[in-house]
Amino acid sequence: MRKKVVSAAEAIAILRDGDTLCCSGFGSNGVPMELILALEKRFLETGSPRDLTLLFGGGPGDGATGGVNHLALEGMLKRVIGGHYGLVPQIGKLALASKVEAYNLPLGVVSHLYRDIACGLPGTVSKVGLGTFVDPRLEGGKIGSKTTEDLVSVIQLGGRELLYYKTLPISVAFIRGTSADAEGNITMERETLTQDVLAIATATKNSGGFVIAQVERIAERGSLNPRRVKVPGILVDCVVVAQAENHPQNLNGAYNPAFSAEVRVPLDAIAPMPLDERKVIARRAAFELLPNSVVNLGIGMPEGVAAVANEEKILKYMTLTAEPGVIGGMPASGVNFGAATNPDAVIDMNQQFDFYDGGGLDLACLGLAECDPQGSINVSRFGPKLAGAGGFINITQNSRTVVFVGTFTAGGLKVMVEDGKVTIVQEGRARKFVQKIEQVTFSGPYAASTGQNVLYVTERCVFKLTPQGLELIEVAPGIDIERDILAQMDFKPIIHTPQVMDARIFLPEVMRLNDTLLSISLVDRMQYDAAKGTAYYNFQGLRVTNLKDVQNIRHAAEALCKPIGKKILVVVNYDNFQIDEAVVDDYSAMVKELSDLYYTDVSRYTTSAFMRLKLGAALESRGLAAHIFETPQEAMGQVR
């Protein structure tokens, strides 16, 4: 029997000067503290190893001194490549002070780099990062004056402009699991996440490197269920059994069995948010939630959207996700971010980013720190503070709808929400809507060029992204546009006819979003743009279950089209559309009659491959154009 179980000191002895160390951990979740502390101890006692390159994704730390913050020792690190720095501020300080070479790359790119290193590829190719600070035409992801080597370049591939990120060999990997046997097979049953431990281990072994796994217990050889083994022993060189205090589920403290899917807990015990500016913002953002949608909620202010959805009893109608791999349930907040209570599934982070980067998200709700006239956002760097991009770039560039949320100003802002209106008691010291942002984490012009739907929600108003820049579209009751909005911005947005925000947002009682979510009227779903001669039917989330539903759609379409007096173009959004098999023929017959009477052409789209096939076949049987596009951009292009 191969004996792989060793002490932490014995495992750490393998590191040499100049090695590249990859450390797993997403924020406070699953951080291999026993190994980190042993490395810190060796360096402080011996001054070795020196000049390491530290590679990490989700910033394994606690926002103070925990996690890889212990490795922020001058001389130990020569270079740092990370996805998120918000919870590793000590590493961030070294980077900003140019005491190390440092890079900030999108978290999803780092996650995919592991796989491409494992495959022996020279780099990762991605559209993620175009137009942002990661683009080499801006900053190339570099931090500090000491960082000169280009890790990112622009390439042309398949007629598209893409970014190429260099891979690098990994010398040593710190990973973590729950149980191991003497062969080094690792399971993760008590972990909140599986993270990228398999990809990291594979990348390291195929680089000729050394994989060290930290666990909390040792099992008899052959006793582990092979289907629960996350990292096979062939990829693990040695195993370290951690002391209990160095192996918490997350750095926030006690073990939570709901995070590891050991138990499911009732969510109705969660207390509602108080009616303040944060809840106002979360409530308005929640209006963008749709039935059957897949949603990502960022850390901080966006977490309130999940709380509102839970209070409104609409969580069951959608699936919330978080970038490290949780799908379903209630995403955790604060230092626990990344975990989830009652998740439906937990997949590896690189697989989650496959889904995100390919356009799998219907809606993303993320923070708003700085915004410029073109709608570009900075959340990654503010003077002496380095937060890093994390998954922000992957998520915002690829979600169909993006909602940025945040207070209108920051630093001392005091707001009163009372009697159904908003009163600014004290304005914040720092403006968020500025002429120039410090760093481009989200590119408004890039998003506008792709036709992405982008909103900016604050406690006093809502903006929408247009090709010309930000447009003010909604204002809260009690807010004066000149005094409370324009006077608090460094630029003037586009203003046409802004509407008053929904009154329910500012009242203490539940908004009854359940009813709103499931009962969008057909009249509201069908709009005609006279300038373009095109009608837009929004059937997203609509369910057709019987003949009456089919007839209602016919009557609504006729009421819109008859008064126009001529045939028109129609674009139909079938995302998350559901139709019972019993009425498919009736529905397609109705569509044919409307097409003959009122339409010159119809362009349809849905991201559901099943629905494209189902509706396509039914329409083709009626002699109608059967092709259903996958994106609104393809559909719009067809009718021009």
Side-chain angles (χ1 to χ4, degrees):
M1 182 186 298
R2 292 186 294 274
K3 180 172 174 56
K4 294 187 177 182
V5 181
V6 299
S7 70
E10 290 172 322
I12 295 303
I14 193 68
L15 275 92
R16 295 291 179 264
D17 293 353
D19 276 351
T20 295
L21 169 65
C22 182
C23 186
S24 69
F26 182 89
S28 73
N29 296 279
V31 181
M33 282 305 305
E34 186 84 15
L35 303 180
I36 292 169
L37 292 173
L39 178 56
E40 177 190 35
K41 183 174 186 291
R42 178 187 162 189
F43 181 81
L44 292 175
E45 291 177 350
T46 68
S48 180
R50 301 183 63 82
D51 297 328
L52 300 179
T53 292
L54 177 63
L55 173 64
F56 59 83
D62 61 357
T65 59
V68 296
N69 289 293
H70 283 274
L71 306 183
L73 304 169
E74 289 191 46
M76 176 186 280
L77 302 179
K78 176 184 179 181
R79 173 178 285 193
V80 178
I81 302 171
H84 191 254
Y85 286 80
L87 294 179
V88 289
Q90 307 310 318
I91 300 290
K93 288 178 183 177
L94 292 179
L96 291 173
S98 295
K99 293 184 176 180
V100 295
E101 301 170 23
Y103 300 83
N104 180 203
L105 304 181
L107 177 58
V109 169
V110 175
S111 191
H112 288 152
L113 274 172
Y114 298 147
R115 293 193 322 202
D116 290 338
I117 294 169
C119 293
L121 296 175
T124 294
V125 176
S126 177
K127 63 182 181 291
V128 172
L130 286 167
T132 73
F133 75 89
V134 180
D135 192 314
R137 291 163 294 195
L138 295 179
E139 301 174 45
K142 299 172 185 173
I143 306 169
S145 59
K146 195 171 186 176
T147 309
T148 58
E149 183 184 350
D150 293 326
L151 296 188
V152 190
S153 57
V154 180
I155 64 170
Q156 295 285 331
L157 188 63
R160 298 178 62 186
E161 186 177 78
L162 299 165
L163 294 182
Y164 176 81
Y165 297 85
K166 290 182 184 178
T167 54
L168 69 162
I170 301 174
S171 311
V172 180
F174 289 175
I175 64 172
R176 175 181 141 145
T178 300
S179 306
D181 63 13
E183 299 289 323
N185 294 302
I186 309 295
T187 62
M188 304 186 71
E189 62 270 21
R190 284 168 56 87
E191 301 293 309
T192 60
L193 303 162
T194 59
Q195 304 181 51
D196 280 324
V197 294
L198 176 59
I200 290 171
T202 309
T204 304
K205 288 302 292 182
N206 285 353
S207 296
F210 196 84
V211 177
I212 306 172
Q214 171 182 319
V215 299
E216 64 177 86
R217 58 197 181 194
I218 298 296
E220 176 68 31
R221 181 178 182 230
S223 65
L224 297 177
N225 184 333
R227 291 190 177 272
R228 298 185 73 178
V229 171
K230 188 59 187 176
V231 184
I234 58 170
L235 301 178
V236 177
D237 291 288
C238 64
V239 176
V240 173
V241 180
Q243 300 177 61
E245 63 270 23
N246 295 332
H247 198 90
Q249 187 184 43
N250 61 54
L251 300 181
N252 199 30
Y255 177 74
N256 185 338
F259 286 170
S260 59
E262 187 178 336
V263 298
R264 294 182 69 86
V265 298
L267 295 178
D268 52 9
I270 299 175
M273 298 173 66
L275 185 56
D276 56 13
E277 65 273 18
R278 296 179 69 88
K279 186 167 188 176
V280 163
I281 293 168
R283 278 182 155 187
R284 174 57 187 87
F287 273 82
E288 301 305 313
L289 297 170
L290 292 168
N292 305 308
S293 57
V294 181
V295 181
N296 173 277
L297 300 177
I299 192 169
M301 190 75 75
E303 297 166 1
V305 180
V308 168
N310 184 58
E311 181 184 354
E312 297 285 339
K313 310 300 182 188
I314 60 174
L315 272 180
K316 61 184 176 182
Y317 298 116
M318 61 208 63
T319 302
L320 303 184
T321 68
E323 55 264 38
V326 293
I327 298 173
M330 179 84 162
S333 61
V335 181
N336 294 327
F337 180 75
T341 300
N342 303 346
D344 297 323
V346 178
I347 62 177
D348 284 3
M349 185 155 62
N350 55 73
Q351 297 167 337
Q352 186 83 301
F353 278 112
D354 287 340
F355 178 66
Y356 283 4
D357 289 357
L361 283 172
D362 297 300
L363 173 70
C365 185
L366 296 108
L368 186 165
E370 276 188 331
C371 181
D372 71 11
Q374 289 74 45
S376 295
I377 294 283
N378 170 32
V379 297
S380 48
R381 183 170 177 176
F382 308 92
K385 182 178 179 182
L386 176 65
F392 190 95
I393 299 176
N394 298 82
I395 295 163
T396 57
Q397 284 195 332
N398 296 299
S399 178
R400 294 183 191 88
T401 294
V402 181
V403 180
F404 293 111
V405 295
T407 56
F408 198 83
T409 60
L413 174 67
K414 294 181 181 178
V415 175
M416 183 170 65
V417 184
E418 196 172 68
D419 299 327
K421 65 180 183 180
V422 172
T423 302
I424 308 301
V425 178
Q426 177 178 295
E427 198 58 75
R429 295 183 298 276
R431 294 186 174 191
K432 291 189 175 183
F433 293 89
V434 295
Q435 197 65 44
K436 182 176 175 59
I437 58 179
E438 185 170 350
Q439 191 169 68
V440 179
T441 329
F442 170 82
S443 170
Y446 179 85
S449 72
T450 65
Q452 192 175 29
N453 182 33
V454 184
L455 296 177
Y456 306 76
V457 176
T458 75
E459 79 286 352
R460 66 188 76 177
C461 64
V462 180
F463 298 99
K464 178 177 73 173
L465 180 66
T466 75
Q468 294 74 40
L470 284 192
E471 179 184 349
L472 179 65
I473 60 170
E474 295 178 26
V475 178
I479 292 296
D480 180 271
I481 292 179
E482 289 291 336
R483 180 193 66 219
D484 299 323
I485 298 175
L486 300 184
Q488 308 304 325
M489 304 175 69
D490 286 353
F491 61 89
K492 185 175 181 179
I494 300 165
I495 302 177
H496 293 308
T497 54
Q499 306 296 307
V500 178
M501 293 170 70
D502 194 298
R504 291 174 291 174
I505 295 171
F506 310 95
L507 298 173
E509 54 264 28
V510 172
M511 297 188 297
R512 301 188 64 84
L513 272 189
N514 196 332
D515 297 336
T516 304
L517 195 72
L518 302 177
S519 61
I520 302 174
S521 72
L522 287 169
V523 172
D524 291 335
R525 290 178 180 273
M526 297 180 175
Q527 303 293 328
Y528 177 62
D529 187 331
K532 296 181 179 179
T534 304
Y536 299 92
Y537 295 176
N538 177 19
F539 288 173
Q540 183 166 7
L542 184 65
R543 179 160 189 187
V544 179
T545 60
N546 52 51
L547 190 56
K548 186 176 184 300
D549 292 338
V550 175
Q551 292 169 343
N552 288 340
I553 294 172
R554 178 205 300 274
H555 294 153
E558 287 179 338
L560 178 71
C561 296
K562 268 185 180 179
I564 296 171
K566 63 178 181 180
K567 288 191 173 184
I568 59 173
L569 300 173
V570 175
V571 177
V572 188
N573 174 6
Y574 278 116
D575 261 353
N576 297 315
F577 177 84
Q578 298 179 63
I579 183 168
D580 285 10
E581 199 67 42
V583 293
V584 169
D585 287 342
D586 295 311
Y587 182 83
S588 56
M590 177 271 294
V591 171
K592 173 129 182 28
E593 291 175 19
L594 290 175
S595 299
D596 291 343
L597 288 170
Y598 303 113
Y599 309 155
T600 58
D601 195 8
V602 183
S603 189
R604 307 170 177 89
Y605 67 92
T606 177
T607 53
S608 167
F610 173 75
M611 189 57 65
R612 287 198 296 274
L613 289 171
K614 183 176 181 178
L615 281 179
L619 295 172
E620 188 173 26
S621 70
R622 297 282 175 175
L624 297 171
H627 185 74
I628 299 178
F629 295 98
E630 186 172 357
T631 67
Q633 289 77 26
E634 292 172 340
M636 300 294 185
Q638 179 68 13
V639 300
R640 288 194 180 101

